[in-house]
Amino acid sequence: MLKNLSTHFHKSSSTLLSINNNNLLRNFYSIGSINTSLKKINIQQLIQINNQQERNYGIPRRVKRERYFKEQEEKEWRDKGKQKYVRQTPEVNNTFIIQQLQVLKLKRNWRRAYKLFKEVEAKRGRPIPQVYRLFLYTIGTRGGEMTKAFEVFKYMLKNQSTRDVKAFNIMLQACAKHNVAMNDYILDHNPNTNYFTTAVKLYNELKQSGEQLSSFTITYMAACVEKAMKEALINEETRSMWLKELKADAEDYDVITNPHVVQLFQPSTTTEQQTA
């Protein structure tokens, strides 16, 4: 009887222990599952809160766009600064300027042409030689504003490596037509500056440059000599000396056969000019 009771007690105690252990394991797993679910809930809630905060306190799209373009502009300037010892020549719309100057030349509107030149100078532009010639012809030859024409001429010489013979011819033609006051091209600033001394300086500089003189160069310089003779700026001896020099230069540069040059050195024209 006692043996039966003891065996029954052991069996019941073992069953109780197994039941308790199972309950403990179930509680443990349930607690673990609850913790994981809580973790999941917390993470999802945090993500939602962060997204909501970004929507509430985020940078507007307009501000982001402005910052982006500002950063791009600063980067572009930094990249330009890295290119050392490289002179970037600004672009000049030569076709547009030529079209404007063609109209201004016909209307003798030297003021608008000079204003257009100042715009090019402010941008440090380097137009083609044809643009410089039109500037000089419109302002100097047609307009008679020799001081402003020599301002254009000086800017041209600074930005060109070679001497443009046609531009020099235009300035010689302007000197033969208009009086020349003291200007920046005459470096000594002589108060006795006139069209003849300026023409002499232009002619000598062009000869020293080694460029090929044209028939217009000889003709316009001879016109300056004759005008100076009529206005008593030079005497007959200086005039004859200059005509001989111009004739020798015409032979050297092979323009003596040009009709204008031939007519210039005919004896009849010289005698008529002497009697006049």
Side-chain angles (χ1 to χ4, degrees), residues 1 6 29 51 55 57 74 83 113 120 130 139 151 163 177-178 197 206 221 228-229 235 238 268 273 276:
M1 187 73 183
S6 63
Y29 285 119
N51 292 334
R55 284 194 295 270
Y57 304 103
E74 291 177 355
Q83 297 178 2
V120 175
Q130 186 181 356
I139 298 172
E151 185 179 348
R163 295 293 180 260
K177 292 180 66 175
H178 308 287
T197 55
L206 190 57
M221 188 62 206
M229 180 65 188
N235 53 20
T238 306
S268 59
Q273 290 169 355

Side-chain angles (χ1 to χ4, degrees), residues 182 186-194 197:
M182 186 173 62
I186 306 296
L187 298 179
D188 54 0
H189 292 282
N190 188 357
N192 297 321
T193 298
N194 51 43
T197 55

Side-chain angles (χ1 to χ4, degrees), residues 2 4 25 34 52 77 127 139 175 178 202 205 207 223 230-231 242 249 259 268:
L2 290 171
N4 294 327
L25 287 172
I34 291 169
Q52 185 65 36
W77 279 107
I139 298 172
C175 290
H178 308 287
L202 288 168
E205 183 176 349
K207 282 181 64 177
K230 288 180 180 179
E231 296 183 1
W242 265 104
D249 291 339
S268 59

Side-chain angles (χ1 to χ4, degrees), residues 25-86:
L25 287 172
R26 285 175 184 173
N27 292 329
F28 177 77
Y29 285 119
S30 63
I31 291 169
S33 62
I34 291 169
N35 289 331
T36 54
S37 63
L38 287 174
K39 286 181 181 179
K40 289 181 181 179
I41 292 170
N42 291 332
I43 291 170
Q44 290 178 357
Q45 288 179 351
L46 287 174
I47 291 171
Q48 290 178 357
I49 292 169
N50 289 333
N51 292 334
Q52 185 65 36
Q53 287 180 351
E54 287 180 358
R55 284 194 295 270
N56 293 337
Y57 304 103
I59 301 172
R61 187 177 298 175
R62 177 179 58 81
V63 178
K64 288 182 179 180
R65 185 171 63 250
E66 291 178 357
R67 286 185 180 179
Y68 172 77
F69 285 112
K70 188 175 181 181
E71 290 176 358
Q72 292 296 321
E73 186 178 358
E74 291 177 355
K75 183 181 178 182
E76 184 178 356
W77 279 107
R78 287 195 297 270
D79 293 339
K80 284 184 179 179
K82 292 178 182 177
Q83 297 178 2
K84 296 182 179 179
Y85 308 107
V86 177

Side-chain angles (χ1 to χ4, degrees), residues 34-221:
I34 291 169
N35 289 331
T36 54
S37 63
L38 287 174
K39 286 181 181 179
K40 289 181 181 179
I41 292 170
N42 291 332
I43 291 170
Q44 290 178 357
Q45 288 179 351
L46 287 174
I47 291 171
Q48 290 178 357
I49 292 169
N50 289 333
N51 292 334
Q52 185 65 36
Q53 287 180 351
E54 287 180 358
R55 284 194 295 270
N56 293 337
Y57 304 103
I59 301 172
R61 187 177 298 175
R62 177 179 58 81
V63 178
K64 288 182 179 180
R65 185 171 63 250
E66 291 178 357
R67 286 185 180 179
Y68 172 77
F69 285 112
K70 188 175 181 181
E71 290 176 358
Q72 292 296 321
E73 186 178 358
E74 291 177 355
K75 183 181 178 182
E76 184 178 356
W77 279 107
R78 287 195 297 270
D79 293 339
K80 284 184 179 179
K82 292 178 182 177
Q83 297 178 2
K84 296 182 179 179
Y85 308 107
V86 177
R87 183 174 181 180
Q88 299 177 356
T89 56
E91 294 183 359
V92 177
N93 193 345
N94 295 301
T95 306
F96 178 71
I97 296 175
I98 289 171
Q99 290 174 354
Q100 282 191 316
L101 290 175
Q102 291 287 356
V103 178
L104 297 174
K105 178 183 70 173
L106 297 175
K107 294 183 177 181
R108 297 177 183 268
N109 192 350
W110 65 266
R111 290 182 178 85
R112 182 67 185 90
Y114 181 71
K115 184 179 179 181
L116 187 61
F117 163 71
K118 296 303 286 185
E119 292 175 0
V120 175
E121 185 184 21
K123 296 178 181 178
R124 297 181 181 179
R126 290 186 177 183
I128 59 177
Q130 186 181 356
V131 175
Y132 286 119
R133 296 166 195 163
L134 284 171
F135 273 128
L136 296 174
Y137 188 79
T138 306
I139 298 172
T141 307
R142 299 281 287 183
E145 293 293 323
M146 297 301 293
T147 304
K148 293 179 174 57
F150 274 108
E151 185 179 348
V152 179
F153 188 73
K154 186 179 179 181
Y155 182 80
M156 181 194 72
L157 295 180
K158 184 175 70 175
N159 293 320
Q160 284 185 351
S161 58
T162 59
R163 295 293 180 260
D164 186 11
V165 179
K166 292 183 179 180
F168 274 80
N169 293 341
I170 291 171
M171 295 308 294
L172 287 173
Q173 183 186 12
C175 290
K177 292 180 66 175
H178 308 287
N179 293 325
V180 179
M182 186 173 62
N183 54 78
D184 293 336
Y185 183 66
I186 306 296
L187 298 179
D188 54 0
H189 292 282
N190 188 357
N192 297 321
T193 298
N194 51 43
Y195 61 88
F196 181 71
T197 55
T198 307
V200 170
K201 181 177 174 63
L202 288 168
Y203 187 78
N204 290 333
E205 183 176 349
L206 190 57
K207 282 181 64 177
Q208 291 174 3
S209 66
E211 298 292 333
Q212 175 69 29
L213 302 186
S214 65
S215 60
F216 294 101
T217 311
I218 305 297
T219 305
Y220 294 146
M221 188 62 206

